[in-house]
Amino acid sequence: MALLALTRMTVADGLRQPLTWLSTGLALGLVALSYLFGMFNFETQDRVRMLTTAGVSIAILNGLFLAVVGASTAIHDELASRTALTLFAKPLSRGHYLLGKVFGIWLVVVVATLLVVAAHGIALTIALWTQWEDVAHGHSHSFGSDLWMPWGRLAAAHALGLAHSAVLTCIAAVLALRLPLIANILACFALFVLGHLLPGLGVLGGVVVPALATFNVDDSLQLIGQRLDWTYGVAAFIYASLSCGGWLLLGHALFSRQDIS
C-alpha cells in the first residue's frame, strides 16, 4: 500500500509541474509544425512519411526530457531536503521508494506521450484526408487509396518509444542517487546520444550504455517493403524490461549503502 501511495503521489506531483505541460505543449506545437512543413515537399507520399517519423521522434524526445528531468529532480530534491526520511518512517523500504518514484515518473511520461500520440494521429488523419490541399479553394477531399500509411507500425513505434522512456527513467533515477542534479541530467543525455550513436559505429550498446537504437524503427515507417516483425517488438520489450531491472537492482544496491540521515 505504501508503494502505491508513493506512486500516486509521484504521478500527482509530476502532473502538477508546469514544466510537464510546457514540454508537452511544445511537443504538440512541433507536431502541428511538422504538418505545416509537409507543404514544402512536392510528393504527397513523402509528406506522409515525414509527418509519420517526425511525430514519433517528437514523442520520444518529449518522453526523454520528462523522464530524465522528472526523475532527476524528484529524487534529488527529496534526498537533498531529507524529505525521503519522512517516507522511510512509514513502512517503506528504500527499494520500494526507488521503484515507486520510477513508476510514477514513467506514468507521467505515458500521459504526456498519449497526448502527443493523439495529436499525431489527428495530424496524420487530416493529412490523408486533405493531402495538404487548401479547403478554401474548393478541392475535393477523400482518403487517398494510393497513399501508404503504416498504422500498425506507427502504433508499435510509439509503444517502443514508451519502452525507451522507461529505460531512461530508471537510469536517471539511479544516477540521481549519487550525482548532482545538473551532472545527472547531462549524463543521461550523453547516454541517450551514445545509445543511438554506437550502433552506427558497429557497437550495439553495452553494460553501461543501453542499446537505445533497439527502439528505433524508422525504417519500417519509411519503407513499404521493410516489415516490422512482432518477434522484434517482443525482443525489444524484453530487453527494456531486463535493462530496467538491472538498473533498478544497481540502484537498490547503491541506495541501501547510502547515508541520507
Side-chain angles (χ1 to χ4, degrees):
M1 294 301 294
L3 174 61
L4 293 177
L6 176 62
T7 301
R8 288 196 299 268
M9 182 180 69
T10 303
V11 172
D13 185 61
L15 294 178
R16 283 197 299 265
Q17 296 299 321
L19 190 62
T20 300
W21 299 111
L22 178 62
S23 175
T24 304
L26 179 60
L28 295 175
L30 289 175
V31 171
L33 284 177
S34 298
Y35 174 84
L36 295 177
F37 287 156
M39 297 178 180
F40 298 96
N41 199 312
F42 293 105
E43 295 292 334
T44 305
Q45 184 64 69
D46 290 339
R47 294 174 176 179
V48 173
R49 289 193 181 98
M50 187 203 73
L51 181 57
T52 301
T53 55
V56 173
S57 298
I58 291 167
I60 289 176
L61 290 176
N62 185 55
L64 162 71
F65 180 81
L66 293 179
V68 171
V69 176
S72 300
T73 54
I75 294 180
H76 182 272
D77 289 348
E78 288 190 357
L79 294 181
S81 63
R82 303 295 189 269
T83 306
L85 292 175
T86 305
L87 297 174
F88 296 148
K90 312 222 171 260
L92 182 71
S93 68
R94 295 192 179 195
H96 283 166
Y97 170 82
L98 186 61
L99 182 61
K101 283 293 179 182
V102 167
F103 193 52
I105 294 297
W106 183 71
L107 287 178
V108 173
V109 174
V110 170
V111 171
T113 300
L114 289 177
L115 292 176
V116 177
V117 170
H120 189 205
I122 292 172
L124 280 169
T125 302
I126 294 174
L128 293 173
W129 176 258
T130 64
Q131 299 184 37
W132 282 271
E133 297 292 347
D134 190 359
V135 178
H137 287 79
H139 294 285
S140 60
H141 299 105
S142 63
F143 290 105
S145 58
D146 57 332
L147 294 179
W148 177 70
M149 183 59 236
W151 289 109
R153 302 180 194 182
L154 179 63
H158 279 300
L160 288 172
L162 287 175
H164 178 281
S165 299
V167 173
L168 287 168
T169 303
C170 293
I171 294 174
V174 171
L175 294 182
L177 299 174
R178 294 300 177 91
L179 293 180
L181 179 61
I182 300 301
N184 183 22
I185 293 175
L186 292 177
C188 289
F189 279 106
L191 288 176
F192 169 79
V193 173
L194 288 174
H196 287 277
L197 182 64
L198 288 179
L201 302 176
V203 181
L204 188 60
V207 176
V208 178
V209 180
L212 297 177
T214 303
F215 308 106
N216 183 1
V217 291
D218 279 355
D219 287 346
S220 68
L221 298 177
Q222 293 279 352
L223 305 174
I224 297 178
Q226 184 71 36
R227 294 183 58 197
L228 180 60
D229 197 283
W230 68 270
T231 56
Y232 180 87
V234 171
F237 282 113
I238 291 175
Y239 172 76
S241 300
L242 293 175
S243 182
C244 289
W247 277 97
L248 288 175
L249 288 175
L250 174 62
H252 183 265
L254 293 174
F255 202 21
S256 61
R257 293 171 174 80
Q258 184 172 349
D259 182 16
I260 59 173
S261 59

